[in-house]
């Protein structure tokens, strides 16, 4: 069961050395931007009773759409999934 998304969730900080930055897109939603300044995906925080899960979506330039990659208990795992998905 998901909790109300009314509370503001702070942006996660990517692990040191990970070549991305996050930019706010909406409450609990961040654009994942590579070092070249391109948006490569979205990271969304999903509050649940047992903690916060992170949904990863990768932008596919060919289709100009986002591909759902999955939900993770770790923001770093979700960011890595976005970075390495093709």
């Amino acid at each position: 069961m998901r909790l109300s998304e009314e509370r503001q969730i702070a942006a996660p900080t990517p692990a040191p050395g990970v070549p991305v930055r996050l930019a706010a897109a909406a409450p609990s939603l961040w654009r994942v931007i590579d070092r070249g300044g391109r948006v490569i995906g979205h990271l969304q925080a999903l509050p649940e009773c047992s903690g916060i899960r992170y949904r990863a979506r990768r932008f596919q330039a060919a289709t100009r759409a986002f591909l759902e990659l999955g939900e993770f208990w770790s923001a770093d795992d979700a960011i890595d999934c976005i970075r390495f998905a093709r």
Side-chain angles (χ1 to χ4, degrees):
M1 175 171 80
R2 296 232 160 98
L3 297 176
S4 169
E5 293 192 30
E6 292 176 8
R7 70 178 205 214
Q8 187 71 1
I9 297 173
T13 303
V18 175
V20 300
R21 65 184 173 86
L22 302 179
S28 303
L29 179 69
W30 302 273
R31 291 179 185 95
V32 181
I33 303 169
D34 70 9
R35 70 175 118 204
R38 291 177 299 147
V39 175
I40 60 171
H42 280 158
L43 178 68
Q44 182 179 15
L46 305 167
E48 296 189 2
C49 293
S50 52
I52 298 175
R53 291 185 58 83
Y54 294 92
R55 178 178 294 150
R57 295 183 186 108
R58 173 74 189 206
F59 182 71
Q60 299 291 308
T63 60
R64 299 181 53 111
F66 286 90
L67 174 65
E68 295 281 339
L69 300 176
E71 294 181 7
F72 303 84
W73 286 111
S74 159
D76 287 330
D77 289 346
I79 290 169
D80 281 347
C81 188
I82 293 168
R83 289 177 55 218
F84 297 115
R86 293 284 173 207

